[in-house]
Amino acid sequence: MSVKDKNTFDAIVIGSGISGGWSAKELTEKGLKTLLLDRGRDVKHVTDYPTAMHNPWNFPHGGQVPLELRKEYKIASKNFIFTEATSHFLTKDEEQAYIQEKPYDWIRAYHVGGRSLLWGRHTQRWSDFDFTGPARDGFAVDWPIRYKDVAPWYSYVEKFVGISGNKDGLETLPDGDFIKPYELSCVEKHFGQVLKNKYTDRHVIIARTANLSQADKIHMSVGRSQCQNRTLCERGCPYGGYFSSNSATLPAAYKTGNLTLKTYAIAHSIIYDEKKNKAIGVRVVNALTHEMEEYFASIIFVNASPLATNLILLNSISSRFPNGLGNDSGILGTHMAFHSYRGRITAEYDGDLAYKTEGKRPTSGYIPRFRNVYQQETDFLRGYASNLSASRVIENAKDLVGESLKQSLLAQKLGNWHINVGMMGETIPKAHSTIRLDKQLKDKYGIPQLRVSVGYDENDEKMLKDFHQQFTEMYEAAGFKNIQPIDTKRLPGNENHEMGGVRMGKDPKTSMLNAFNQMHHCKNVFVTDGSCMTSTSTQNPSLTYMALTARAVDYAIREKKKRNL
């Protein structure tokens, strides 16, 4: 067998995160011998979660990362998830240098499973208000799909993932196929009742989350069990209580016998055959030897995460595509967008003091978007959703140590309720929000560095101001005191919801992908991670990535059977 024959598969998937795991699962279950490429080390479910069962006293530095090590993670250390319990799942700066033309925190997790081990797990469906947003206000291009196109695929992935939630009957937030929901605290319910009495369009619900509040047969089939409500998800869950590639999609793919995993394989570019007029494989830099390797397949799914996917496609240059694979339109790497997490507002409540919160839950309250939904009513475009939590803590315990802390814990003297709401705002994809390849600078593997020019604009500032104004008004109506509006100053990228650059659309002149995530000008390449997004919505995007991926694989298999690929 020649090297080429040995390195030839039916399909190649680049990246093993949330969308890449789904690509691998769906392709292998449909009978395709599939190669999964990941640039980092393997992380095996259960055995490679070193801190999953640690108690607080098991950490040598009390959870804090020592200063010398923190210096190696200047970007990742800005993210709230960076602790002594999780630093091994995040990426050091020197692993892949990039140029920030505007301040941008590129949070990366280079290992099998990627950020699916670290995500926040909120999994709301999009509605037609989200898919029609660009057509209504003229920013970005019209999505080539609508909610009805994705709805059956939402159901398909929800059943496998296990989504806890209520059927809330909201037009702005379609219901799904849920397992039993978690509960709101009494103060969260109080806030919801106040909003219901005062407004017609503002609702407090329990956030839908990819945690197994109950484990059904489909979940147990890959070895998962019920969530233990430990809220230590980012360490990796040995119970499989929350969804990740490692605990769910990759075990399903391995069960088929059709999956081959190649670790330490950094995708350099996609190989385009100008005689065949299609992509034939992927060039890979071996992260250990720095040697170039080539792998071949008739179908390629690119799921490297948005910035990395854009980099790979921009770096895939040929005589046919001198500006990057499929980039006849020239829009590859443009119209990048993200979610704004700059808004936060806290308060206290001295009511309901006969009650307290017991135990933990792996989710929060959620307030769906209520601005500019049915009509343009503000001086900014689009809107924001919000996460809500309210709980009571032991009074002054955070300031105590030793015997005084022990006595405080024994006394269980609880203070007022503390309320926290965080904003997740939709930003507008713009032509000047770009990522490009630097013409000279390369990373340590010889791959061009990215130049990132993505930032906030006036629309984002107006949205932040409105968020603080609206929630101050709502807090006051609920009787909350000590209201504190906060600008978190979180940079683009720091929220992990980067999107765009390889957007879907109806017209090949203004988009890279068709309605099935297939490249307009290179038909056997599909892109289903966040880079495919035409706009960002206010909902968390991961569930939509999963649904679009399963839908795209189904389409690719049908096209393959017709010999169109």
Side-chain angles (χ1 to χ4, degrees):
M1 181 183 289
S2 68
V3 173
K4 183 172 182 179
D5 289 339
K6 184 179 178 182
N7 289 357
T8 297
F9 299 82
D10 297 322
I12 295 174
V13 178
I14 303 173
S16 62
I18 277 182
S19 63
W22 268 97
S23 293
K25 172 187 178 294
E26 295 299 299
L27 289 163
T28 55
E29 288 183 341
K30 288 176 169 59
L32 273 63
K33 296 293 184 181
T34 301
L35 174 65
L36 177 61
L37 299 172
D38 194 281
R39 67 176 290 150
R41 62 186 175 90
D42 194 6
V43 173
K44 296 188 184 301
H45 181 50
V46 183
T47 57
D48 286 340
Y49 306 149
T51 63
M53 306 303 287
H54 277 21
N55 290 304
W57 52 86
N58 295 133
F59 293 99
H61 307 96
Q64 296 296 312
V65 178
L67 180 60
E68 286 306 306
L69 183 59
R70 182 177 286 267
K71 289 177 181 178
E72 299 180 45
Y73 293 91
K74 289 180 182 177
I75 300 298
S77 65
K78 297 179 184 179
N79 192 272
F80 71 94
I81 211 166
F82 183 80
T83 69
E84 196 172 14
T86 59
S87 60
H88 54 280
F89 282 150
L90 290 155
T91 301
K92 295 180 180 180
D93 295 358
E94 62 90 27
E95 176 63 20
Q96 187 179 18
Y98 68 102
I99 301 104
Q100 301 180 53
E101 293 186 348
K102 295 180 180 178
Y104 192 95
D105 290 341
W106 186 6
I107 308 297
R108 292 153 288 177
Y110 288 158
H111 53 254
V112 170
R115 290 185 304 195
S116 78
L117 287 172
L118 301 170
W119 67 308
R121 306 171 309 285
H122 278 196
T123 43
Q124 293 83 17
R125 292 187 180 197
W126 285 28
S127 74
D128 266 334
F129 294 109
D130 305 300
F131 287 113
T132 61
R136 289 161 57 204
D137 60 35
F139 279 79
V141 296
D142 189 12
W143 279 87
I145 54 176
R146 294 294 185 260
Y147 175 71
K148 64 180 176 60
D149 300 308
V150 191
W153 296 100
Y154 277 137
S155 294
Y156 177 75
V157 301
E158 283 167 342
K159 291 169 185 173
F160 181 79
V161 171
I163 308 297
S164 166
N166 263 323
K167 290 188 180 293
D168 300 295
L170 302 178
E171 191 177 9
T172 53
L173 199 70
D175 291 327
D177 287 86
F178 301 141
I179 53 180
K180 69 179 183 180
Y182 291 93
E183 287 191 47
L184 294 168
S185 71
C186 61
V187 172
E188 292 162 355
K189 291 176 181 176
H190 160 70
F191 190 47
Q193 189 60 50
V194 170
L195 298 191
K196 183 178 180 180
N197 294 340
K198 186 175 175 63
Y199 306 93
T200 60
D201 60 349
R202 305 186 188 191
H203 310 274
V204 176
I205 66 172
I206 192 71
R208 294 128 188 211
T209 183
N211 289 79
L212 294 181
S213 55
Q214 66 188 56
D216 294 336
K217 185 176 180 180
I218 193 171
H219 312 125
M220 292 186 283
S221 70
V222 290
R224 299 177 66 197
S225 59
Q226 184 173 323
C227 174
Q228 303 297 300
N229 299 332
R230 304 188 314 146
T231 66
L232 301 175
C233 307
E234 65 275 7
R235 300 184 188 181
C237 179
Y239 306 99
Y242 76 96
F243 173 85
S244 68
S245 296
N246 310 65
S247 67
T249 47
L250 295 186
Y254 278 122
K255 282 176 66 176
T256 67
N258 291 326
L259 183 66
T260 299
L261 173 66
K262 175 70 176 176
T263 55
Y264 298 108
I266 305 171
H268 173 279
S269 54
I270 293 172
I271 306 166
Y272 184 78
D273 189 313
E274 304 200 13
K275 293 180 179 178
K276 295 180 178 179
N277 294 318
K278 67 177 187 177
I280 58 170
V282 180
R283 293 185 190 89
V284 165
V285 176
N286 186 305
L288 302 178
T289 67
H290 292 211
E291 294 178 351
M292 192 78 80
E293 302 168 356
E294 294 184 346
Y295 296 90
F296 304 92
S298 59
I299 295 175
I300 299 169
F301 270 70
V302 191
N303 300 107
S305 82
L307 268 65
T309 287
N310 275 272
L311 187 158
I312 293 164
L313 295 176
L314 285 165
N315 202 37
S316 301
I317 296 171
S318 62
S319 297
R320 169 65 183 85
F321 295 115
N323 299 312
L325 185 69
N327 191 26
D328 288 358
S329 63
I331 69 152
L332 177 61
T334 70
H335 297 86
M336 299 297 297
F338 54 96
H339 281 144
S340 171
Y341 274 71
R342 281 177 54 190
R344 187 171 165 232
I345 185 165
T346 64
E348 293 183 33
Y349 182 54
D350 57 11
D352 287 318
L353 296 183
Y355 302 94
K356 61 182 179 179
T357 48
E358 291 284 356
K360 299 178 180 180
R361 66 181 183 196
T363 188
S364 67
Y366 185 79
I367 303 170
R369 171 185 171 184
F370 55 85
R371 298 302 258 169
N372 302 326
V373 177
Y374 296 97
Q375 61 183 358
Q376 182 63 40
E377 60 193 359
T378 71
D379 63 349
F380 61 87
L381 296 172
R382 314 285 170 88
Y384 47 83
S386 307
N387 300 313
L388 163 71
S389 62
S391 60
R392 295 183 74 191
V393 296
I394 296 173
E395 200 169 54
N396 299 321
K398 66 180 182 355
D399 300 320
L400 303 174
V401 295
E403 184 63 25
S404 56
L405 175 60
K406 179 180 177 181
Q407 293 303 318
S408 180
L409 291 172
L410 289 171
Q412 287 284 300
K413 185 178 179 182
L414 296 173
N416 290 335
W417 289 87
H418 291 263
I419 299 94
N420 179 54
V421 169
M423 159 188 156
M424 189 167 77
E426 178 172 2
T427 66
I428 304 298
K430 300 173 289 290
H432 62 263
S433 293
T434 63
I435 51 178
R436 297 293 187 200
L437 301 186
D438 191 89
K439 295 180 179 179
Q440 295 180 320
L441 295 176
K442 298 184 185 299
D443 66 18
K444 68 179 190 178
Y445 300 106
I447 296 173
Q449 292 188 26
L450 277 182
R451 302 191 69 89
V452 183
S453 182
V454 180
Y456 292 108
D457 63 12
E458 184 180 6
N459 196 72
D460 303 319
E461 300 296 338
K462 291 178 178 178
M463 186 182 294
L464 175 63
K465 181 179 179 181
D466 185 80
F467 167 81
H468 284 146
Q469 289 174 341
Q470 294 302 310
F471 272 91
T472 296
E473 176 186 295
M474 291 187 281
Y475 273 11
E476 290 173 345
F480 297 164
K481 307 290 177 58
N482 191 23
I483 300 170
Q484 301 288 333
I486 299 165
D487 181 350
T488 67
K489 306 291 187 182
R490 281 178 71 173
L491 293 177
N494 191 276
E495 78 296 320
N496 294 321
H497 290 179
E498 65 271 22
M499 291 176 248
V502 197
R503 70 184 180 189
M504 299 170 70
K506 299 175 181 177
D507 187 350
K509 294 180 181 178
T510 57
S511 62
M512 293 290 294
L513 309 172
N514 68 11
F516 291 96
N517 296 77
Q518 179 185 38
M519 294 195 83
H520 290 302
H521 301 299
C522 190
K523 300 293 187 181
N524 63 328
V525 175
F526 295 79
V527 180
T528 63
D529 64 11
S531 54
C532 78
M533 304 298 268
T534 302
S535 60
T536 72
S537 152
T538 59
Q539 277 84 280
N540 303 69
S542 295
L543 183 67
T544 301
Y545 302 163
M546 294 188 247
L548 291 177
T549 300
R551 181 174 179 267
V553 171
D554 177 76
Y555 173 80
I557 297 301
R558 287 188 280 115
E559 289 295 288
K560 182 177 176 65
K561 288 178 179 177
K562 295 176 186 175
R563 300 185 182 277
N564 290 335
L565 292 181

